[in-house]
Amino acid sequence: MAAGRLSFRNVTALAPMVRVGTLPMRLLALDYGADVVYCEELIDIKMAQCERMENGVLGTVDFVAPDGRVMFRTCEKEKARVVFQMGTADPDRALTVARLVEKDVAAIDVNMGCPKEYSTKGGMGAALLSDPDKIEAILKKLVTGVSVPVTCKIRILPSVEETVNLVQRIETTGVAAIAVHGRFKEERPRHPVHCDYIQAVAQAVSIPVIANGGSLDLVKAHSDIEKFRKETGASSVMLARAAMWNPSVFRSQGLLPVEKVMEEYIKYAIRYDNHAFNTKYCLCQMLRDKVESPLGKQVQAAQTNAEISTAYGLQRFYQEVQEELQAKRDALQSDIQL
Ligand code: FNR
């Protein structure tokens, strides 16, 4: 393996989460100690239409849809640790998208676990689990076609034997790691995770297995991450909900009060001009049962990052960042005119 390639051995990862895994959450998770951060699942058809643009004001690389929407925003700070997750059912399109982003990310992941109809009806997500030929075609194409590591994330199949067979077949494609969400595709997030399946997979392959699915009952604090790793015999652990509720779960010194975490989150959201609706959505997940509190109501009513900042007493920070960004805009403008 070339030096500098992202390793999936013995790491703790922020799981891919639609709407949650945007840039502010990923940077915060890294600050708190996550080793690897997955972006939210992005669909190949939409990504294939995007243009790569360097945003000189924010210092980011943006992948912008024809309607101007930023589908994926990333920056140098996470470049060595961010995994781009895509939803795909088409090897050629998957490769097109992987090539579009490969210079800006540390690895490419294919989602093979999403049980939602919008994924499965297009043959993506968990639908792939019943089409191993397609899985093989997509992964082989990616592994041979891009220079960064390729991984995939699956759910478990009805029996241990079927799950192990699938994973062994996936291993032959040359993927660098496999994340296993220890639930059947019909199971809901509240169902207990099947650690025994993950353990059987971990024993059956030599690539790193990343255990996932422990948030609700097993992983509530940083010290539980190691317990989950041991219980599953996996090399690594990936957290979704525990991190969504309080990303400081990655902190080896222990959880921080969620109020403090929300402040840090908002600072990143302001600094990277995150879409206000996305900022709100993530804050509401962190507020959890406090979402109907006076603060929660203020967040829900807010329409802009400026209003969100006011709810948290961060107006001054907001103003300062706006001034900094304006100064950068002006400097870039005068460079263009020279
Ligand atoms: C998810 N999950 C998910 N999985 C995936 O592969 N791609 C995705 O984009 C998403 N999106 C997503 C959004 C939200 C809000 C949640 C809560 C979950 C599933 C997630 O990565 C993980 O597999 C499960 O949540 C189980 O892990 P935890 O929550 O027990 O740590």
Side-chain angles (χ1 to χ4, degrees):
M1 235 189 235
R5 264 167 90 88
L6 181 62
S7 165
F8 291 88
R9 221 169 268 287
N10 202 23
V11 296
T12 307
L14 173 71
M17 281 182 279
V18 166
R19 295 175 82 184
V20 175
T22 48
L23 184 58
M25 182 61 90
R26 301 197 303 266
L27 292 177
L28 199 54
L30 286 174
D31 284 351
Y32 289 141
D35 303 296
V36 176
V37 288
Y38 284 64
C39 75
E40 61 176 332
E41 178 195 44
L42 292 158
I43 304 299
D44 60 355
I45 301 185
K46 291 191 187 151
M47 278 305 296
Q49 297 172 346
C50 286
E51 190 182 342
R52 179 189 183 280
M53 295 169 114
E54 288 183 20
N55 184 327
V57 176
L58 298 177
T60 57
V61 175
D62 297 345
F63 292 85
V64 185
D67 64 2
R69 270 183 59 196
V70 177
M71 301 300 295
F72 176 54
R73 170 166 285 163
T74 184
C75 66
E76 193 60 38
K77 198 171 167 190
E78 67 168 0
K79 189 173 174 180
R81 284 167 326 115
V82 64
V83 181
F84 178 88
Q85 189 193 58
M86 74 169 101
T88 186
D90 181 297
D92 293 321
R93 209 182 296 124
L95 183 60
T96 305
V97 172
R99 285 200 170 141
L100 177 69
V101 300
E102 73 171 313
K103 298 264 177 316
D104 299 299
V105 300
I108 307 278
D109 182 77
V110 179
N111 184 358
M112 301 183 176
C114 182
K116 302 255 167 70
E117 204 197 325
Y118 63 77
S119 261
T120 53
K121 75 170 190 266
M124 297 183 293
L128 284 172
L129 295 175
S130 44
D131 193 348
D133 292 339
K134 178 78 71 66
I135 291 182
E136 199 172 272
I138 295 172
L139 293 177
K140 274 192 176 158
K141 191 117 204 175
L142 289 174
V143 168
T144 50
V146 295
S147 56
V148 291
V150 175
T151 61
C152 67
K153 176 167 176 279
I154 63 161
R155 280 188 179 231
I156 55 176
L157 297 181
S159 71
V160 169
E161 198 190 353
E162 287 166 277
T163 312
V164 164
N165 285 344
L166 177 68
V167 172
Q168 284 176 331
R169 190 159 171 197
I170 288 175
E171 185 178 29
T172 64
T173 64
V175 290
I178 178 161
V180 181
H181 176 188
R183 289 193 178 82
F184 305 116
K185 66 174 191 272
E186 305 76 24
E187 286 187 313
R188 305 277 46 96
R190 63 172 188 281
H191 290 123
V193 59
H194 301 272
C195 290
D196 51 337
Y197 276 65
I198 304 178
Q199 196 178 42
V201 167
Q203 281 167 2
V205 292
S206 54
I207 50 171
V209 168
I210 309 167
N212 172 242
S215 277
L216 196 62
D217 31 8
L218 299 177
V219 184
K220 292 185 169 51
H222 186 268
S223 53
D224 300 328
I225 296 175
E226 192 49 36
K227 285 188 213 150
F228 185 46
R229 192 195 317 269
K230 287 222 172 91
E231 197 166 336
T232 55
S235 179
S236 296
V237 168
M238 169 188 271
L239 298 179
R241 287 164 297 166
M244 169 177 83
W245 293 324
N246 188 335
S248 72
V249 70
F250 292 112
R251 238 176 129 252
S252 55
Q253 309 91 317
L255 276 179
L256 291 171
V258 77
E259 291 72 21
K260 167 86 187 136
V261 173
M262 288 191 286
E263 254 185 60
E264 298 304 321
Y265 175 83
I266 295 166
K267 288 183 179 170
Y268 271 132
I270 295 169
R271 167 71 187 78
Y272 287 102
D273 194 22
N274 196 48
H275 197 292
F277 289 175
N278 184 249
T279 307
K280 258 172 74 163
Y281 180 80
C282 292
L283 290 171
C284 287
Q285 305 310 312
M286 291 189 234
L287 282 160
R288 292 186 82 181
D289 53 350
K290 298 198 195 90
V291 79
E292 292 305 325
S293 67
L295 175 63
K297 287 194 170 135
Q298 241 180 311
V299 172
Q300 290 188 63
Q303 296 293 312
T304 59
N305 281 335
E307 286 170 14
I308 295 170
S309 307
T310 306
Y312 285 83
L314 291 169
Q315 307 89 309
R316 190 144 166 212
F317 179 85
Y318 179 84
Q319 262 323 316
E320 283 167 7
V321 173
Q322 298 317 304
E323 284 159 24
E324 261 174 50
L325 296 178
Q326 190 54 47
K328 278 201 191 137
R329 234 171 258 130
D330 294 344
L332 285 170
Q333 199 57 36
S334 57
D335 281 353
I336 292 168
Q337 281 160 6
L338 279 176

